Amino acid sequence: MIKSLLLYMSDQPRLQQMATKMEVSRRVARRFVAGESTDDAIRAILTLNKSGFTATLDYLGENITKLEEASHATHEYVSAVDKIQQASADSNVSLKLTQFGLALDEAACALNAEKVVQRAAGFNNFVRIDMEGSAFTDPTLRVFTALRMKYENVGIVIQAYLFRSEKDIEDMLQLKSRIRLCKGAYKEPPEISFKKKSDTDANYIKLMKILLKSGIYHGIATHDPHMIQATKEFVRQENIGKNEFEFQMLYGIRRDLQEKLIHEGYRLRIYVPYGEEWYSYLMRRMAERPANLMFVVRNLFRG
Ligand code: FDA
């Protein structure tokens, strides 16, 4: 109930306008978002690198309404790739295709995304294409597939809560694609997605095994101790090295688990979001764990 409400709120422009003006929500956002500028984000990444984490940079903003906004995002990402290189930061980038114009003009979006992939290729760096709500699954896979046919340094995300994901993984593995597996963060109808957490979790484990047996370097993105344990057991059993895959987690979430994994010698990449458009991102994080609302309440009562 609370989860649905928060996911609904994540999509409401009026609420977004209000929240981004309030000091308290800005304060809460800073727990999960590295800052508003690229320089803030690079600073956060360098600090993470010192503690043994790699990173992936995400410039927040999605569902744009004009192609000029897509050009702005493209420019921001190309410049972020340059700044990562200049700072010798150990980070790649993650992008959402709706921010590049997917809902407005698929061909223009593909060209925009290609500019980032091409720039990253010049530095031997990597671009991950995030997966959004199910209305965008097919177009996202189409744009990704076209890019993957031309470039090695681009990967995709697959969401375990969708029924279709096993088949999508099969197709993406045919292209030898690097995949990030996550549970999925959007509100999806029961006709196409698992509704029970236990079903999503069982599918996550099934897909994790398919990925890790493929011999390709994938990302296992989760904060769920059960998913992490299942992954550790599987790689041990299959003799898969700790450097043949990576765990991935979000900035500011389960920092205890993040440190533990590094301490145990696993690879862990932190997803570092930054930018002024942090509202939808923050609401999805709240929806995943309504207990985070207590963090908001505590901040409300701080001077
Ligand atoms: P789950 O939600 O079952 O939570 C398990 C445990 O993890 C909780 O009990 C809690 O301890 C901890 N936890 C989880 N979320 C928390 C939070 N917000 N705050 C505090 N604790 C929390 N989704 C998507 O649809 N498309 C995408 O491209 C991506 N990309 C992506 C990249 C990376 C690096 C990560 C880690 C995640 C994504 N996601 C995503 C989000 C993903 O789909 C999912 O919504 C969240 O990771 C939460 O799911 P968990 O696997 O963590 O488990």
CSV table of all heavy atoms in Angstrom, one decimal, residues 262-285:
chain,number,residue,atom,x,y,z
A,262,ILE,N,33.5,-6.0,0.3
A,262,ILE,CA,34.9,-5.6,-0.1
A,262,ILE,C,35.9,-6.3,0.8
A,262,ILE,O,36.9,-6.8,0.3
A,262,ILE,CB,35.0,-4.0,0.0
A,262,ILE,CG1,34.3,-3.3,-1.1
A,262,ILE,CG2,36.5,-3.6,0.0
A,262,ILE,CD1,34.8,-3.6,-2.5
A,263,HIS,N,35.6,-6.3,2.1
A,263,HIS,CA,36.5,-6.9,3.1
A,263,HIS,C,36.6,-8.4,2.7
A,263,HIS,O,37.7,-9.0,2.9
A,263,HIS,CB,35.8,-6.8,4.4
A,263,HIS,CG,36.7,-7.3,5.5
A,263,HIS,ND1,37.9,-6.6,5.9
A,263,HIS,CD2,36.6,-8.4,6.3
A,263,HIS,CE1,38.4,-7.3,6.9
A,263,HIS,NE2,37.7,-8.3,7.2
A,264,GLU,N,35.6,-9.0,2.2
A,264,GLU,CA,35.7,-10.5,1.8
A,264,GLU,C,36.3,-10.7,0.5
A,264,GLU,O,36.4,-11.9,0.0
A,264,GLU,CB,34.3,-11.1,1.8
A,264,GLU,CG,33.6,-11.2,3.2
A,264,GLU,CD,32.2,-11.5,3.2
A,264,GLU,OE1,31.6,-11.5,2.1
A,264,GLU,OE2,31.6,-11.8,4.2
A,265,GLY,N,36.7,-9.6,-0.2
A,265,GLY,CA,37.5,-9.8,-1.5
A,265,GLY,C,36.6,-9.8,-2.7
A,265,GLY,O,37.1,-10.2,-3.8
A,266,TYR,N,35.3,-9.5,-2.6
A,266,TYR,CA,34.4,-9.4,-3.8
A,266,TYR,C,34.6,-8.1,-4.4
A,266,TYR,O,34.9,-7.1,-3.8
A,266,TYR,CB,33.0,-9.7,-3.4
A,266,TYR,CG,32.7,-11.1,-2.9
A,266,TYR,CD1,32.7,-11.4,-1.6
A,266,TYR,CD2,32.5,-12.1,-3.9
A,266,TYR,CE1,32.5,-12.7,-1.1
A,266,TYR,CE2,32.3,-13.4,-3.5
A,266,TYR,CZ,32.3,-13.7,-2.1
A,266,TYR,OH,32.1,-15.0,-1.7
A,267,ARG,N,34.2,-8.0,-5.7
A,267,ARG,CA,34.2,-6.7,-6.4
A,267,ARG,C,32.8,-6.1,-6.2
A,267,ARG,O,31.8,-6.8,-6.2
A,267,ARG,CB,34.4,-6.9,-7.9
A,267,ARG,CG,35.8,-7.4,-8.2
A,267,ARG,CD,35.9,-7.4,-9.7
A,267,ARG,NE,37.3,-7.6,-10.0
A,267,ARG,CZ,37.8,-7.6,-11.3
A,267,ARG,NH1,36.9,-7.4,-12.3
A,267,ARG,NH2,39.0,-7.9,-11.5
A,268,LEU,N,32.8,-4.8,-5.9
A,268,LEU,CA,31.5,-4.1,-5.7
A,268,LEU,C,31.5,-2.7,-6.4
A,268,LEU,O,32.4,-1.9,-6.1
A,268,LEU,CB,31.2,-4.0,-4.2
A,268,LEU,CG,30.0,-3.2,-3.8
A,268,LEU,CD1,28.7,-3.8,-4.4
A,268,LEU,CD2,29.8,-3.1,-2.3
A,269,ARG,N,30.6,-2.5,-7.2
A,269,ARG,CA,30.4,-1.3,-7.9
A,269,ARG,C,29.3,-0.5,-7.3
A,269,ARG,O,28.2,-1.0,-7.1
A,269,ARG,CB,30.2,-1.5,-9.4
A,269,ARG,CG,30.2,-0.2,-10.2
A,269,ARG,CD,30.0,-0.5,-11.7
A,269,ARG,NE,31.1,-1.4,-12.2
A,269,ARG,CZ,32.3,-0.9,-12.6
A,269,ARG,NH1,32.6,0.4,-12.5
A,269,ARG,NH2,33.2,-1.7,-13.1
A,270,ILE,N,29.5,0.8,-7.0
A,270,ILE,CA,28.5,1.6,-6.4
A,270,ILE,C,27.8,2.5,-7.4
A,270,ILE,O,28.6,3.2,-8.2
A,270,ILE,CB,29.0,2.5,-5.2
A,270,ILE,CG1,29.8,1.6,-4.2
A,270,ILE,CG2,27.9,3.3,-4.6
A,270,ILE,CD1,28.9,0.7,-3.4
A,271,TYR,N,26.5,2.5,-7.5
A,271,TYR,CA,25.8,3.3,-8.4
A,271,TYR,C,25.6,4.7,-7.8
A,271,TYR,O,25.0,4.9,-6.8
A,271,TYR,CB,24.4,2.6,-8.7
A,271,TYR,CG,23.5,3.2,-9.7
A,271,TYR,CD1,23.4,2.6,-11.0
A,271,TYR,CD2,22.7,4.3,-9.4
A,271,TYR,CE1,22.5,3.1,-11.9
A,271,TYR,CE2,21.8,4.8,-10.4
A,271,TYR,CZ,21.7,4.2,-11.6
A,271,TYR,OH,20.8,4.6,-12.5
A,272,VAL,N,26.3,5.7,-8.4
A,272,VAL,CA,26.3,7.0,-7.8
A,272,VAL,C,25.5,8.0,-8.6
A,272,VAL,O,25.9,8.5,-9.7
A,272,VAL,CB,27.8,7.5,-7.8
A,272,VAL,CG1,27.9,8.9,-7.2
A,272,VAL,CG2,28.7,6.5,-7.0
A,273,PRO,N,24.3,8.3,-8.1
A,273,PRO,CA,23.4,9.3,-8.9
A,273,PRO,C,23.8,10.7,-8.4
A,273,PRO,O,24.1,11.0,-7.3
A,273,PRO,CB,22.0,8.9,-8.4
A,273,PRO,CG,22.2,8.2,-7.1
A,273,PRO,CD,23.6,7.8,-7.0
A,274,TYR,N,23.6,11.7,-9.4
A,274,TYR,CA,23.8,13.1,-9.0
A,274,TYR,C,23.0,13.9,-10.0
A,274,TYR,O,22.4,13.4,-11.0
A,274,TYR,CB,25.3,13.5,-9.2
A,274,TYR,CG,25.8,13.7,-10.6
A,274,TYR,CD1,25.8,14.9,-11.2
A,274,TYR,CD2,26.1,12.6,-11.4
A,274,TYR,CE1,26.2,15.1,-12.5
A,274,TYR,CE2,26.5,12.7,-12.7
A,274,TYR,CZ,26.5,14.0,-13.3
A,274,TYR,OH,26.9,14.2,-14.6
A,275,GLY,N,22.8,15.2,-9.6
A,275,GLY,CA,22.0,16.1,-10.5
A,275,GLY,C,20.9,16.7,-9.7
A,275,GLY,O,20.6,16.3,-8.6
A,276,GLU,N,20.2,17.7,-10.4
A,276,GLU,CA,19.1,18.4,-9.7
A,276,GLU,C,17.8,17.6,-9.7
A,276,GLU,O,16.9,17.9,-8.9
A,276,GLU,CB,18.9,19.7,-10.4
A,276,GLU,CG,20.1,20.7,-10.1
A,276,GLU,CD,20.1,21.9,-11.0
A,276,GLU,OE1,19.2,22.1,-11.8
A,276,GLU,OE2,21.2,22.6,-11.0
A,277,GLU,N,17.7,16.6,-10.7
A,277,GLU,CA,16.4,15.9,-10.8
A,277,GLU,C,16.4,14.7,-10.0
A,277,GLU,O,16.2,13.6,-10.5
A,277,GLU,CB,16.3,15.5,-12.3
A,277,GLU,CG,16.2,16.7,-13.3
A,277,GLU,CD,14.9,17.4,-13.2
A,277,GLU,OE1,13.9,16.7,-13.1
A,277,GLU,OE2,14.9,18.6,-13.3
A,278,TRP,N,16.5,14.8,-8.7
A,278,TRP,CA,16.7,13.7,-7.8
A,278,TRP,C,15.4,13.1,-7.3
A,278,TRP,O,15.3,12.1,-6.7
A,278,TRP,CB,17.6,14.0,-6.7
A,278,TRP,CG,17.4,15.3,-6.0
A,278,TRP,CD1,18.1,16.4,-6.3
A,278,TRP,CD2,16.4,15.7,-5.1
A,278,TRP,NE1,17.6,17.5,-5.6
A,278,TRP,CE2,16.5,17.1,-4.8
A,278,TRP,CE3,15.4,15.0,-4.5
A,278,TRP,CZ2,15.7,17.7,-3.9
A,278,TRP,CZ3,14.5,15.7,-3.6
A,278,TRP,CH2,14.7,17.0,-3.3
A,279,TYR,N,14.2,13.8,-7.5
A,279,TYR,CA,13.0,13.5,-6.8
A,279,TYR,C,12.5,12.1,-7.1
A,279,TYR,O,12.2,11.3,-6.2
A,279,TYR,CB,11.9,14.5,-7.2
A,279,TYR,CG,10.6,14.2,-6.7
A,279,TYR,CD1,10.2,14.4,-5.4
A,279,TYR,CD2,9.6,13.6,-7.6
A,279,TYR,CE1,8.9,14.0,-4.9
A,279,TYR,CE2,8.4,13.2,-7.1
A,279,TYR,CZ,8.0,13.4,-5.8
A,279,TYR,OH,6.8,13.1,-5.3
A,280,SER,N,12.3,11.7,-8.5
A,280,SER,CA,11.8,10.4,-8.8
A,280,SER,C,12.7,9.3,-8.2
A,280,SER,O,12.2,8.2,-7.7
A,280,SER,CB,11.7,10.2,-10.3
A,280,SER,OG,10.9,11.2,-10.8
A,281,TYR,N,14.0,9.5,-8.4
A,281,TYR,CA,14.9,8.5,-7.9
A,281,TYR,C,14.8,8.3,-6.4
A,281,TYR,O,14.7,7.2,-5.9
A,281,TYR,CB,16.4,9.0,-8.2
A,281,TYR,CG,17.5,8.1,-7.7
A,281,TYR,CD1,17.9,7.0,-8.4
A,281,TYR,CD2,18.0,8.3,-6.4
A,281,TYR,CE1,18.8,6.1,-7.9
A,281,TYR,CE2,19.0,7.4,-5.9
A,281,TYR,CZ,19.4,6.3,-6.7
A,281,TYR,OH,20.4,5.5,-6.2
A,282,LEU,N,14.7,9.4,-5.7
A,282,LEU,CA,14.5,9.3,-4.2
A,282,LEU,C,13.2,8.6,-3.8
A,282,LEU,O,13.2,7.7,-2.9
A,282,LEU,CB,14.5,10.7,-3.6
A,282,LEU,CG,14.5,10.8,-2.1
A,282,LEU,CD1,15.8,10.2,-1.5
A,282,LEU,CD2,14.3,12.2,-1.6
A,283,MET,N,12.1,8.9,-4.5
A,283,MET,CA,10.9,8.2,-4.2
A,283,MET,C,10.9,6.7,-4.5
A,283,MET,O,10.3,5.9,-3.7
A,283,MET,CB,9.7,8.9,-5.0
A,283,MET,CG,9.5,10.3,-4.6
A,283,MET,SD,9.3,10.6,-2.8
A,283,MET,CE,7.6,10.1,-2.6
A,284,ARG,N,11.6,6.3,-5.5
A,284,ARG,CA,11.7,4.9,-5.8
A,284,ARG,C,12.5,4.2,-4.6
A,284,ARG,O,12.2,3.1,-4.2
A,284,ARG,CB,12.4,4.6,-7.1
A,284,ARG,CG,11.4,4.8,-8.3
A,284,ARG,CD,11.9,4.1,-9.5
A,284,ARG,NE,13.2,4.6,-10.0
A,284,ARG,CZ,13.3,5.6,-10.8
A,284,ARG,NH1,12.3,6.3,-11.2
A,284,ARG,NH2,14.5,6.0,-11.2
A,285,ARG,N,13.5,4.9,-4.1
A,285,ARG,CA,14.3,4.3,-3.0
A,285,ARG,C,13.4,4.2,-1.7
A,285,ARG,O,13.5,3.3,-1.0
A,285,ARG,CB,15.6,5.1,-2.7
A,285,ARG,CG,16.5,5.3,-3.9
A,285,ARG,CD,17.2,4.1,-4.3
A,285,ARG,NE,16.5,3.1,-5.2
A,285,ARG,CZ,16.3,3.2,-6.5
A,285,ARG,NH1,16.9,4.2,-7.2
A,285,ARG,NH2,15.6,2.3,-7.1
